Amino acid sequence: MKLADRIKNLGTETAFAVGAEAAVFASKGNKVYPFHLGDLNIATPQNVVDASLEAIKDGKTGYCPNAGVPSLREAIAEDINKSHGMDYAMENVIIQPGGKPVIGKFILALMNPGDEVLYPNPGYPIYESQIQFNGGVAVPYSYKEGPDGFLLDIDSIEKKITDKTKLLIFNDFQNPMAAEASVEELKKIAALAIKHNLFVLCDEAYFDMRYSGKSKSLASLPGMKERCVLLYTFSKKFAMTGWRLGAAIAPKELAVILGKLNTNDESCSNHFVQYGALAGLTGDQSPVKAIVEELRKRRDKGYEILNSIKGFKCFKPETTFYLFPNVTEAMNNLGIRTYDEFRVTALEKTGVSFCTRLHFGSELPGETNRYVRFAYSGINIPEMEEGLAKLKAFIEK
Amino acid sequence: MKLADRIKNLGTETAFAVGAEAAVFASKGNKVYPFHLGDLNIATPQNVVDASLEAIKDGKTGYCPNAGVPSLREAIAEDINKSHGMDYAMENVIIQPGGKPVIGKFILALMNPGDEVLYPNPGYPIYESQIQFNGGVAVPYSYKEGPDGFLLDIDSIEKKITDKTKLLIFNDFQNPMAAEASVEELKKIAALAIKHNLFVLCDEAYFDMRYSGKSKSLASLPGMKERCVLLYTFSKKFAMTGWRLGAAIAPKELAVILGKLNTNDESCSNHFVQYGALAGLTGDQSPVKAIVEELRKRRDKGYEILNSIKGFKCFKPETTFYLFPNVTEAMNNLGIRTYDEFRVTALEKTGVSFCTRLHFGSELPGETNRYVRFAYSGINIPEMEEGLAKLKAFIEK
């Protein structure tokens, strides 16, 4: 069998291998504390479940339009208009089987082979994979530590822009760093995008996952709506990761193309699930608030313990469900040189399973600090306390 | 906005436009008889619904592995082994959000730009679209009328094979012709694939939709398993089109790549739906038989009336849910020259809505006969009788 040449450029999420290793460790009778998952162990709101079942009974088991159920497209436009202060219409919203398909379709629709695409590193690894798989040049930009959280390294972004740069992937409320741009940073990014005529993917998977303050979208800045595609997902806010439902919000001309890609790739997203999502979006919001409240408690607990570990330095982010401590000193104290040794040793000694910076891209030149990611979306507080106490004891031994 | 160059090669399913036109006609207060849909108006079996709901209650609302739920992969392998007389394992089965994603992923994994790919015309239009969108050369092959049904034009296939031909797309139990290859034809196709080292997509979406006899798979012939990818879907057999669930069955080395494409494109298919499908596959088969029985009655009725229309000549296929009458004489009798005029006139005069041969590819050189497609999956027998009686009266007026 001769695979196509493009397959050698196909990346993956190495984080899945961490889960597999943890499962093997657990299968030997060990207790695992799962901080590696970007998944939720919280039930989907009952009104979403009920409305999905009603839709099945109502015969919504056949195909729906490639762009999705019109009433859901409309509800998403309204939801975004309210949260973003914008004016999208139904025609801008193309339903997708999850947020992830927006990444590939954005790139397919707008990037030619050889085009350069700016993407965050550390960042969600599928950006780099999809850029390279489709023949583009993936150009990483980075973040740096500020006083209260990670800051975009905007100078480094501008320096990397060439006349081949066509696209910018921007993941505010960022995975894995939980970084959030200030309005000033957003303005600088917008100015760069306009000056260099870049189209922007605003991956806003965590836009609504926040504990204080209010999210602001890059797309809401003047001159940006026409050059932005929003990645929207039901996965986090409604604890619907396994339901696979999201949307691309794009300028109308591009939205038509994204719908045509749907026709080619998967016909449409699950029909009845869209009615479940509609109920989630337009119905009682108390289940959604309860999800955020639960995650806030976990964040507080995780921050408190991680930051108390000698050699760990951790910010307290107001968004996402990730903590990304600087563990440089702890690794040095333990005499551990590689990320993988740190991760595997921690798992084997304590059962605490997490991803490292390397699961979100290769280290960049000059990078000396070490970071790991703790996701608190898939673990309850008693287990967090138990696991992190073991980790603390191991690190400080 | 500058779209990527590849977008100009992106095709679509023009059949959707027929549905849209029918909807406009209906919205003006007219009765429409929908024969244009490749969708089912039959409920999904209750055991599938129940098991899906149970899975939701059981917390199967988070991500599952990219390749799918292991027990479902195993059950599909067993199902295929039984129906095909083969020996697939779980590792060969990669769950997909529908059958359609198998088409694009097969091409992405195995076709380089410039490679030639043989595909059926008339045929499912996404083949041609995905080949061209991904930079390949789409080379159509055709069928001809035999005494009892459409026959593969195998000579014409062989003549079109060059040293650039890498892939063959083979849709036995074919849409739109409902053609089915004999064992002799399958042997000839297999010999060609082996001789010319072609990899084959066996689109078997309708493998289990049959009214007599037994389906035989090209992949089951000696030397073929290692060069075939099967497209498997729950859409037809379980009336689950809108649930979006299918699978690719491939040699293990290729299956790993298809799973990696899943990770990049959509993470995984809907988690709880896979438990519904598992119940459908392993539980009581009487709902599945009832679906086929209903479709058999519709086939009989559709065949009877269509074949009675002056200037229509219609085969009685044992598979699929399509009838593909030759309407050359009827069009001539009416003095209608173009497919679109015939289709639109029939809709406006009778309310009967159908697709024509042109919705399944461009006419090939030398093609003189005219065909249209009647799908009987989305219309009940009383409406079939009423609509086709009107059509008959119009044609024979």
Side-chain angles (χ1 to χ4, degrees):
Chain A
M1 179 190 325
K2 201 185 163 308
L3 295 173
D5 297 337
R6 65 173 74 78
I7 295 298
K8 67 177 185 296
N9 297 322
L10 185 66
T12 188
E13 290 190 51
T14 52
F16 288 121
V18 176
E21 280 180 50
V24 169
F25 185 71
S27 73
K28 292 176 183 159
N30 299 298
K31 178 146 192 186
V32 164
Y33 303 93
F35 288 96
H36 54 266
L37 299 163
D39 201 356
L40 292 114
N41 68 341
I42 299 174
T44 306
Q46 194 57 41
N47 59 351
V48 173
V49 177
D50 292 343
S52 300
L53 187 65
E54 272 313 301
I56 292 175
K57 285 182 188 159
D58 194 31
K60 309 297 190 196
T61 56
Y63 295 113
C64 70
N66 63 16
V69 168
S71 53
L72 179 63
R73 296 170 69 194
E74 211 161 274
I76 291 175
E78 278 172 29
D79 182 60
I80 290 177
N81 291 344
K82 208 168 132 190
S83 60
H84 288 52
M86 297 181 69
D87 60 343
Y88 286 114
M90 183 192 102
E91 290 76 14
N92 297 109
V93 179
I94 307 295
I95 303 296
Q96 301 291 339
K100 191 182 266 183
V102 182
I103 301 171
K105 286 172 185 165
F106 169 81
I107 287 167
L108 281 172
L110 293 165
M111 184 198 77
N112 278 320
D115 285 352
E116 294 176 5
V117 182
L118 291 159
Y119 76 101
N121 176 355
Y124 193 45
I126 295 305
Y127 305 141
E128 186 189 38
S129 177
Q130 286 281 14
I131 296 164
Q132 295 181 339
F133 181 64
N134 290 297
V137 179
V139 180
Y141 65 85
S142 192
Y143 286 72
K144 51 192 180 187
E145 283 191 33
D148 308 312
F150 293 93
L151 302 173
L152 269 169
D153 190 352
I154 292 180
D155 290 344
S156 87
I157 297 181
E158 181 149 32
K159 277 183 202 143
K160 292 190 169 180
I161 295 176
T162 75
D163 55 4
K164 288 191 172 171
T165 310
K166 296 291 158 58
L167 305 178
L168 167 67
I169 296 178
F170 182 56
N171 175 211
D172 210 3
F173 331 106
Q174 210 252 15
N175 177 11
M177 287 176 282
E180 182 182 0
S182 66
V183 174
E184 286 64 40
E185 286 176 312
L186 290 180
K187 283 182 181 166
K188 286 182 189 170
I189 294 279
L192 279 184
I194 291 167
K195 179 177 169 192
H196 297 281
N197 195 24
L198 306 182
F199 230 85
V200 184
L201 174 66
C202 297
D203 181 343
E204 299 188 342
Y206 298 91
F207 192 90
D208 294 312
M209 305 310 292
R210 67 177 311 137
Y211 309 111
S212 75
K214 195 173 175 321
S215 293
K216 185 164 178 69
S217 174
L218 180 67
S220 69
L221 270 61
M224 291 306 289
K225 186 187 171 196
E226 55 265 37
R227 58 178 68 248
C228 282
V229 173
L230 305 186
L231 181 158
Y232 182 97
T233 180
F234 288 90
S235 289
K236 325 296 184 197
K237 185 175 177 184
F238 297 95
M240 287 175 70
T241 50
W243 295 60
R244 310 312 303 130
L245 197 70
I249 295 89
K252 287 181 189 179
E253 181 193 350
L254 182 57
V256 170
I257 301 299
L258 297 174
K260 211 171 163 186
L261 285 167
N262 284 7
T263 298
N264 274 269
D265 288 351
E266 68 268 316
S267 291
C268 60
S269 296
N270 181 308
H271 193 165
F272 60 81
V273 165
Q274 295 182 51
Y275 287 92
L278 180 62
L281 212 48
T282 57
D284 175 21
Q285 294 303 296
S286 58
V288 171
K289 284 177 192 149
I291 292 170
V292 172
E293 267 319 296
E294 168 63 23
L295 291 172
R296 178 206 305 281
K297 287 176 196 152
R298 297 185 191 177
R299 179 207 55 172
D300 291 348
K301 183 56 68 185
Y303 166 74
E304 177 198 323
I305 306 180
L306 286 176
N307 218 29
S308 79
I309 297 177
K310 198 182 156 206
F312 273 44
K313 203 173 79 183
C314 190
F315 293 125
K316 189 177 180 182
E318 299 302 332
T319 66
T320 79
F321 38 62
Y322 303 115
L323 294 163
F324 199 66
N326 181 330
V327 297
T328 317
E329 205 183 304
M331 283 178 67
N332 287 341
N333 292 345
L334 290 168
I336 290 178
R337 297 237 192 117
T338 72
Y339 272 120
D340 239 38
E341 189 188 346
F342 184 59
R343 180 182 65 77
V344 173
T345 308
L347 174 67
E348 289 177 352
K349 299 284 186 190
T350 70
V352 173
S353 178
F354 52 79
C355 292
T356 75
R357 182 265 182 269
L358 292 185
H359 297 100
F360 304 95
S362 306
E363 284 179 289
L364 298 175
E367 192 172 314
T368 51
N369 283 318
R370 301 297 183 84
Y371 300 91
V372 297
R373 188 192 79 169
F374 287 80
Y376 50 84
S377 50
I379 181 165
N380 295 326
I381 286 180
E383 280 70 42
M384 288 181 73
E385 288 179 316
E386 191 175 297
L388 295 182
K390 287 185 188 175
L391 184 71
K392 183 177 164 77
F394 162 67
I395 301 279
E396 297 178 353
K397 72 168 184 267
Chain B
M1 179 188 329
K2 198 182 164 308
L3 294 173
D5 297 337
R6 65 173 74 79
I7 295 299
K8 67 177 184 297
N9 298 321
L10 185 66
T12 189
E13 290 190 51
T14 51
F16 289 121
V18 176
E21 280 180 50
V24 169
F25 185 72
S27 73
K28 293 176 184 159
N30 300 298
K31 178 146 192 186
V32 164
Y33 303 93
F35 288 97
H36 53 265
L37 298 164
D39 201 356
L40 291 115
N41 68 341
I42 299 174
T44 306
Q46 194 57 40
N47 58 351
V48 173
V49 177
D50 292 343
S52 300
L53 187 64
E54 271 312 302
I56 292 176
K57 285 182 188 159
D58 194 30
K60 309 298 189 194
T61 55
Y63 295 113
C64 70
N66 63 17
V69 168
S71 54
L72 179 63
R73 296 170 69 193
E74 210 160 275
I76 291 175
E78 277 172 30
D79 182 61
I80 290 176
N81 291 344
K82 209 169 131 189
S83 60
H84 288 51
M86 296 180 71
D87 61 343
Y88 286 113
M90 184 192 104
E91 290 75 15
N92 297 109
V93 179
I94 308 295
I95 303 297
Q96 302 291 339
K100 190 182 266 184
V102 183
I103 300 171
K105 286 172 184 164
F106 170 81
I107 288 168
L108 281 172
L110 293 165
M111 185 199 77
N112 277 320
D115 285 351
E116 294 177 6
V117 182
L118 290 159
Y119 76 101
N121 176 354
Y124 193 44
I126 296 304
Y127 306 140
E128 186 189 38
S129 176
Q130 286 280 15
I131 296 164
Q132 294 181 339
F133 181 63
N134 291 296
V137 180
V139 181
Y141 65 86
S142 192
Y143 285 73
K144 51 192 179 185
E145 283 191 33
D148 308 313
F150 293 93
L151 302 173
L152 269 170
D153 191 352
I154 293 180
D155 290 344
S156 86
I157 297 181
E158 180 148 32
K159 278 184 202 141
K160 291 189 170 179
I161 296 176
T162 75
D163 55 4
K164 288 192 172 170
T165 310
K166 296 289 159 59
L167 306 177
L168 166 68
I169 296 177
F170 183 55
N171 176 212
D172 210 3
F173 331 107
Q174 210 252 15
N175 177 10
M177 287 176 281
E180 181 183 0
S182 66
V183 174
E184 287 63 40
E185 286 176 312
L186 291 180
K187 283 182 181 167
K188 286 182 188 171
I189 293 280
L192 279 183
I194 291 167
K195 179 178 168 190
H196 298 280
N197 194 25
L198 307 181
F199 231 85
V200 184
L201 174 65
C202 297
D203 181 343
E204 299 187 341
Y206 298 92
F207 191 90
D208 294 313
M209 305 309 293
R210 66 177 311 137
Y211 310 111
S212 75
K214 195 173 175 322
S215 293
K216 186 166 178 68
S217 173
L218 180 66
S220 70
L221 269 60
M224 291 305 289
K225 186 187 170 195
E226 55 265 36
R227 59 177 68 250
C228 282
V229 173
L230 305 187
L231 182 158
Y232 181 97
T233 181
F234 289 90
S235 289
K236 325 296 184 195
K237 185 175 176 184
F238 296 95
M240 286 175 70
T241 50
W243 296 58
R244 311 311 304 130
L245 197 70
I249 295 89
K252 288 182 189 178
E253 181 193 349
L254 181 57
V256 170
I257 301 299
L258 297 174
K260 210 170 163 184
L261 284 166
N262 284 6
T263 298
N264 274 269
D265 289 351
E266 68 267 316
S267 291
C268 60
S269 296
N270 181 307
H271 193 165
F272 59 80
V273 164
Q274 296 182 52
Y275 287 91
L278 179 62
L281 212 48
T282 57
D284 175 21
Q285 294 302 297
S286 59
V288 171
K289 285 178 190 148
I291 292 170
V292 172
E293 267 320 295
E294 169 63 22
L295 291 172
R296 178 206 306 280
K297 288 177 197 152
R298 297 186 192 177
R299 179 207 54 174
D300 290 347
K301 183 56 68 185
Y303 166 75
E304 178 197 320
I305 306 179
L306 286 176
N307 218 29
S308 79
I309 297 177
K310 198 181 156 207
F312 273 43
K313 201 173 80 181
C314 190
F315 293 123
K316 189 177 180 183
E318 298 302 331
T319 67
T320 79
F321 38 62
Y322 303 115
L323 295 162
F324 199 65
N326 181 329
V327 298
T328 318
E329 204 182 303
M331 283 177 67
N332 287 341
N333 292 345
L334 290 168
I336 289 179
R337 296 237 192 117
T338 72
Y339 272 121
D340 239 39
E341 188 188 347
F342 184 58
R343 181 182 65 77
V344 173
T345 308
L347 175 67
E348 289 177 352
K349 298 285 185 190
T350 70
V352 173
S353 178
F354 52 79
C355 292
T356 75
R357 182 269 182 266
L358 293 186
H359 297 101
F360 304 95
S362 305
E363 283 178 291
L364 298 175
E367 192 172 313
T368 51
N369 282 317
R370 302 296 184 86
Y371 300 92
V372 297
R373 189 193 77 169
F374 287 81
Y376 50 84
S377 50
I379 180 165
N380 295 325
I381 286 180
E383 280 69 42
M384 288 181 73
E385 288 179 315
E386 190 176 295
L388 295 182
K390 288 185 187 173
L391 184 72
K392 183 176 164 78
F394 161 68
I395 302 279
E396 297 179 352
K397 72 165 184 269

